Amino acid sequence: MLGYLPLFATLASAATLYATHYSGSVYTLTLNHRNGKYDLSLASAKTTCGGMPSWLTLDGETSTLYCSDETGDATTNGTLSAYAVAEDGSLTQLAKVVDVGGGVHSVVYEGDDDAKYLAIAHYSGSAVSTFALPLKSGDKPLQILRYQIPPGPRPEQDSSHPHQIILDPTGSFILVPDLGADSVRVYAIDKQSGHLNTCPSLNYTPGSGPRHGLFWSSHHSPRNGLRNQNTATKNGPATMLYTVSELSRHFHAFAVSYLPSGCLGFRETQDFVPYPGGEVPEGVSLAELRQAGSNLYASIRSDHSFSGNDSLATLTRSKNSTVTFQELTSAHGLVPRTFVINKAGTLVAIGDQSSSNVAIVSRDPASGKLGDLVANLQVGEPGKPGTSTGLSSVIWAE
């Protein structure tokens, strides 16, 4: 019987995912794979992470999960929670602290002597906060950067709305797309203190509403600083920044340079609508941007292109850094607020906010093409489009 164990191991495996729901719950999900078939199930549900859990960030090195609470605004606080992740995927709360209200995204970054910090974007709080890690109950923010701006041209731009924290490939800069300010705020990390020092912002056309973005680099090492970052390859710039704007529905590409001033320079190389025909229907918006291999993917909310379900747009990046639209595929639900690609590049977990389901689709790592729906699970009560209800985030535990 022992002789069959290696064969059995190749036929069965399991992965853990975590999801948050705006009703106040954090879910642990299990994706089983046996004999070529997938099954996604609910392992546990916790009422935790404040009144509106919105975003999860996993620090794999310390097996710590951080959860932001979107409760509050610029005058009403929210919370930040930390959980220990056990080998079986179960969560134990380590700390819960008061934070600026409206937390929607976070990233772990590093300083000198292996110090770690967490930066959080606060959408309705019009701020960015940082904490020294590990997080302990009673901790105060290391830094709070608050933004006050005049209203923009769109109703959604009544104030500053930071939507994401982006860490650059060298681990030396943090970027913050601000939907309300029509800019991506840029900060240089003080490695000794963990503080964020202000650099000139990347500004967009009024009414654009930049929401999410990511870096692509031909060669980088966060521990080796700025080495090689200004060296363009034969095939194009060494470092690119790609962003999607929620309000204008445009995709932007920028060649990035590391300046002697200690800040970043940006040169726009592309600006287009990542949708068939180059035009997005009224009421449709772009949400999140992800990358794997030579492909980029953007979630398209409220286009109802697949039997009422919304879409993911697949984009292809050429060797000279030029990006082109390739195709739309189904998000298998409504309002795909978040989606994540596993490290192997073989599966994509889509968090559909309004239908409140997690859909798992296959991905071909060689071609980047998204394939069939292999598993699907209702997680909590469905939400209402255009409101902060329903499923808010999903991540792989890896």
Side-chain angles (χ1 to χ4, degrees):
M1 185 171 181
L2 290 176
Y4 291 97
L5 287 178
L7 176 60
F8 177 81
T10 64
L11 297 178
S13 62
T16 299
L17 300 92
Y18 299 108
T20 56
H21 193 282
Y22 276 130
S23 64
S25 296
V26 176
Y27 296 90
T28 304
L29 312 179
T30 301
L31 179 67
N32 287 302
H33 186 211
R34 182 185 294 272
N35 297 329
K37 294 184 178 181
Y38 289 92
D39 176 67
L40 184 62
S41 60
L42 178 64
S44 70
K46 288 179 175 288
T47 301
T48 186
C49 187
M52 295 178 64
S54 62
W55 190 263
L56 296 168
T57 294
L58 178 65
D59 183 354
E61 290 184 357
T62 63
S63 297
T64 306
L65 184 69
Y66 298 96
C67 183
S68 290
D69 169 22
E70 200 171 338
T71 299
D73 50 30
T75 58
T76 304
N77 289 327
T79 61
L80 171 68
S81 301
Y83 304 87
V85 179
E87 289 187 6
D88 64 358
S90 60
L91 303 176
T92 302
Q93 185 169 300
L94 298 172
K96 184 176 183 178
V97 300
V98 174
D99 195 6
V100 178
V104 293
H105 194 276
S106 64
V107 159
V108 174
Y109 65 98
E110 297 184 358
D112 290 340
D113 301 320
D114 296 323
K116 286 190 173 186
Y117 307 89
L118 188 74
I120 305 103
H122 301 270
Y123 183 85
S124 58
S126 301
V128 166
S129 66
T130 64
F131 284 84
L133 301 179
L135 192 69
K136 301 181 295 295
S137 293
D139 280 357
K140 305 293 185 183
L142 175 68
Q143 194 174 15
I144 298 177
L145 304 167
R146 296 187 183 274
Y147 312 119
Q148 292 185 339
I149 62 169
R154 298 287 297 269
E156 301 91 338
Q157 297 179 306
D158 57 324
S159 61
S160 168
H161 290 308
H163 220 307
Q164 185 194 19
I165 304 290
I166 309 170
L167 185 65
D168 89 304
T170 71
S172 300
F173 295 90
I174 274 179
L175 275 62
V176 184
D178 189 330
L179 184 148
D182 285 319
S183 68
V184 172
R185 301 179 186 274
V186 182
Y187 296 95
I189 298 170
D190 183 326
K191 294 289 187 174
Q192 186 173 4
S193 66
H195 284 192
L196 305 182
N197 296 324
T198 303
C199 284
S201 296
L202 169 60
N203 296 317
Y204 288 65
T205 301
S208 295
R211 177 186 172 100
H212 272 233
L214 57 85
F215 280 96
W216 185 95
S217 180
S218 58
H219 41 241
H220 69 267
S221 171
R223 296 187 181 276
N224 290 337
L226 305 183
R227 182 171 62 87
N228 293 331
Q229 286 302 307
N230 281 323
T231 304
T233 68
K234 293 180 180 179
N235 296 320
T239 304
M240 298 292 297
L241 173 68
Y242 300 114
T243 68
V244 289
S245 293
E246 177 176 333
L247 304 182
S248 68
R249 289 86 62 87
H250 278 233
F251 172 93
H252 295 266
F254 303 89
V256 181
S257 56
Y258 289 74
L259 305 177
S261 64
C263 289
L264 298 178
F266 302 93
R267 176 176 58 84
E268 187 173 63
T269 61
Q270 282 185 277
D271 173 5
F272 67 93
V273 176
Y275 205 79
E279 186 174 345
V280 176
E282 192 64 32
V284 174
S285 65
L286 307 182
E288 194 163 30
L289 187 66
R290 296 284 185 178
Q291 177 267 335
S294 60
N295 290 98
L296 296 157
Y297 305 87
S299 55
I300 312 293
R301 301 183 298 182
S302 302
D303 71 337
H304 310 308
S305 290
F306 292 87
S307 301
N309 289 327
D310 294 334
S311 307
L312 295 185
T314 299
L315 313 175
T316 300
R317 182 189 181 280
S318 67
K319 290 183 178 180
N320 68 359
S321 301
T322 300
V323 175
T324 55
F325 173 80
Q326 185 173 346
E327 66 175 349
L328 287 184
T329 55
S330 179
H332 300 284
L334 301 176
V335 188
R337 175 181 169 83
T338 63
F339 68 101
V340 280
I341 304 167
N342 68 349
K343 286 185 177 180
T346 56
L347 296 170
V348 181
I350 306 168
D352 291 307
Q353 180 181 347
S354 293
S355 50
S356 200
N357 65 296
V358 174
I360 309 293
V361 300
S362 62
R363 177 181 178 273
D364 183 342
S367 67
K369 187 176 180 63
L370 301 185
D372 294 334
L373 177 72
V374 298
N376 191 35
L377 180 68
Q378 181 79 37
V379 181
E381 293 296 319
K384 181 180 179 181
T387 67
S388 295
T389 57
L391 192 77
S392 51
S393 72
V394 62
I395 64 169
W396 296 95
E398 55 180 24

